[in-house]
Amino acid sequence: MFWKIVGGLIVAWVAFMVLGAVIGFVFKAVLWIAVIGGIAFLGAAGYKAITSGKKDPRRINRY
């Protein structure tokens, strides 16, 4: 009986360790994807803001 309890606790511990590792990996992967996506979005928005003023015929030229 004692060994069944110890075995059950070890199996539960291993299951929680594996589950924690998988969830931790997924969380880190999603975090890095969000960081890279944010940088790409800011770069594209900055590039558009810099280049759009020269080609837009609807823009009023006040100079």
Side-chain angles (χ1 to χ4, degrees):
M1 183 67 178
F2 173 75
W3 292 110
K4 287 184 180 180
I5 294 172
V6 171
L9 289 174
I10 290 174
V11 168
W13 178 70
V14 169
F16 281 122
M17 294 297 290
V18 170
L19 186 64
V22 170
I23 290 174
F25 174 76
V26 169
F27 178 75
K28 286 182 182 178
V30 169
L31 179 69
W32 279 110
I33 289 171
V35 168
I36 292 170
I39 291 171
F41 173 76
L42 290 176
Y47 178 76
K48 178 68 175 173
I50 291 171
T51 60
S52 67
K54 299 175 183 174
K55 299 177 184 176
D56 192 3
R58 296 172 295 177
R59 186 177 171 103
I60 299 172
N61 190 2
R62 297 185 186 222
Y63 298 108

